[in-house]
Amino acid sequence: MNPWVDWGEQIVRAVAQLLLNPLYYIGIAFIILQYRRQISLERKLFHSRLHSLIGETWRTLLWGWLAGIMASVLMLLFGVTLPLQAMLLIWGISLLLMLVRVRYFCIAYSVGIIGLLHSLALFVPSAVDWPWAGWIFATALSVNIPSLLALAAILHLTEGLLVRWQGSRMATPLFMESKRGKLVGAYHLHGFWPVPLFLLVPSETGISHLPWNPWFVEGGAAGWGMVAFPALIGFTSSTISKLPYLKARFDSTLLLGYSVLVLCAAIGSYYWEPLILAASLLTLLLHEGMIAYSNSQEETAHPLYVHDTRGLKILAVLPNSPAAESGIRAGEIIRKVNQRKVITKEGLHLAMQLNPAFCKLEIINLDGHSKFVSRAMFAGEHHQLGLILCPDDKAVYYVEQKPASIFAYFRKRDNRLRSNPSSASS
């Protein structure tokens, strides 16, 4: 049979298998819950939303497919294989970890744990006979761990690229309390993508010959089939000191470096099996170290989103608003409105009322230079041109950053929101 026909049949079967897999839809449902929670928080803080639930969900699905195709090509070249039992074990561990913290859903943790279980089963062969847990150890023992580590590395490479390209789109402005007890502006960056992966599996039928030599595949096979494995990749990060796109670039660089190190560990453990334990620990500890390093950079940085003597600092700009159409950006400073210097929100409102039909602003841009923005004012437009200013002592709510489990996504009330005592006394 024509090899192109063989590949076409395998791809069609794999796609059909994916669309019938409930795990893929669990990932989509999680993303919808994530965006719903985000939009609810935006409405509570700013009485407006910066993102669209339907629009962001469709965009996420599209980017997930594009990333999945790219990752699948790399995995096919490396020969990453994964039996069905291993797929189920990865998802089972990930869902259990999500009950503790949402960020533990990352495949790095489940892959690292499976690697540790594999090593334990090698040291304690009787573990495969233990009641209840025996099948877990047996499944972990049957997995090609170097191949599994390569899977984690390639997915983090894909995640790093997605964060670089799309990370700042997912940024949500927040009001937070600094270590000194003062309210400051911040951004919470997060993104999750359901990624369909297409992996090779040995099969008696299907593709009879591969035109390349897969790296992690040992021995020959009568034929090759293709299976679909739904994965969910994503990141969460916060910043008080960087613009969203710069924070996304910083996190992307960390993820890309992490993926290279894990891939090197996968290759090393392929050639020398005793490295499997060390490589599995590296996958776990390096991921935690990457997050700790990112957080430490923020803890020691000077807050960017605070007002100063020059004027009012802009935290965010509503999409499709007069401010967005005028080219005003987050991080810039409003110095004057209608020739009047403004240093408080009340002063801004009074200055805008000097000429209700027209508004002229002097803005200090990100380079520290002045620019001027003028536009007519129309009925029905946002009273503040669509500008979200950094918080002051009169802000009603702020957000407490705290680890979240999956249960937080089902609560009607967002337990991160805190009332600002200063606002009640103002």
Side-chain angles (χ1 to χ4, degrees), residues 81-89 139 142-144 199-201 227:
T81 61
L82 204 62
L84 176 61
Q85 295 86 347
M87 297 181 193
L88 296 176
L89 185 57
T139 301
S142 67
V143 175
N144 183 331
L199 308 178
L200 289 174
V201 291
V227 297

Side-chain angles (χ1 to χ4, degrees), residues 119 122-123 268-279:
S119 299
L122 289 176
F123 286 117
S269 62
Y270 172 74
Y271 286 108
W272 194 43
E273 191 173 346
L275 277 178
I276 286 179
L277 177 59

Side-chain angles (χ1 to χ4, degrees), residues 104-130:
Y104 288 160
F105 191 84
C106 175
I107 198 170
Y109 298 103
S110 54
V111 165
I113 290 172
I114 291 174
L116 296 179
L117 293 174
H118 178 97
S119 299
L120 180 59
L122 289 176
F123 286 117
V124 186
S126 61
V128 299
D129 298 320
W130 291 353

Side-chain angles (χ1 to χ4, degrees), residues 30 146 182 215 268 282 300 352 414:
F30 170 75
K182 181 180 178 181
W215 200 337
L282 178 70
T300 57
M352 291 183 67
D414 196 325

